Amino acid sequence: MSKRDDLIAKYASDLKDKCGIEPDMDFLTKVTIGCGPSIYNKDSASVAGSDKKELETVKNNFLIKKLGLEDGPELDDAIASVLETYGKSNPNKQRAVVYYLLAKHFKKESVYS
């Protein structure tokens, strides 16, 4: 297996074990590929849920630019909801898993088609 395949398996495990969600593996693969090389860097591969600057980056670069959503309080609410689902006490929130959950939340899977 490639390094990316190993990471996708890890993300699928997080979705099952930490979020209680059965992952759509094709979609998870597309989201992971969409994250680019950031998944291979320890710092950029995860989302710091308590860092306001990091959460602004998720909102601006992913929700607004990538998914094409309008800025508003519902974006912050969705991020908070996803982080709650992933587990507030979990220090290792993988970026691909957070993006997967957000894209599913907003029903924006078509962005990856």
Side-chain angles (χ1 to χ4, degrees):
M1 276 176 48
S2 71
K3 175 83 168 147
R4 184 173 70 199
D5 290 339
D6 291 342
L7 288 170
I8 291 169
K10 175 182 170 184
Y11 303 152
S13 176
D14 271 12
L15 284 163
K16 287 180 196 168
D17 301 338
K18 296 177 181 171
C19 303
I21 294 170
E22 190 61 41
D24 172 342
M25 293 306 293
D26 287 340
F27 184 60
L28 180 58
T29 300
K30 289 176 183 177
V31 171
T32 302
I33 291 168
C35 288
S38 69
I39 61 171
Y40 303 108
N41 178 303
K42 186 174 178 2
D43 185 48
S44 62
S46 61
V47 173
S50 60
D51 182 346
K52 293 202 183 304
K53 186 172 184 254
E54 173 77 13
L55 300 180
E56 280 297 312
T57 299
V58 169
K59 181 167 78 169
N60 291 321
N61 292 355
F62 183 69
L63 295 178
I64 296 171
K65 290 180 184 172
K66 178 76 175 178
L67 299 186
L69 299 169
E70 294 289 322
D71 194 3
E74 65 279 354
L75 300 186
D76 294 317
D77 293 345
I79 292 169
S81 173
V82 161
L83 295 179
E84 188 70 37
T85 298
Y86 208 156
K88 285 272 189 191
S89 62
N90 172 20
N92 297 312
K93 294 174 186 69
Q94 300 301 316
R95 184 169 304 279
V97 174
V98 171
Y99 286 7
Y100 173 95
L101 292 169
L102 286 167
K104 287 280 192 182
H105 174 86
F106 286 108
K107 298 178 179 19
K108 288 289 195 170
E109 294 92 338
S110 63
V111 169
Y112 289 93
S113 296

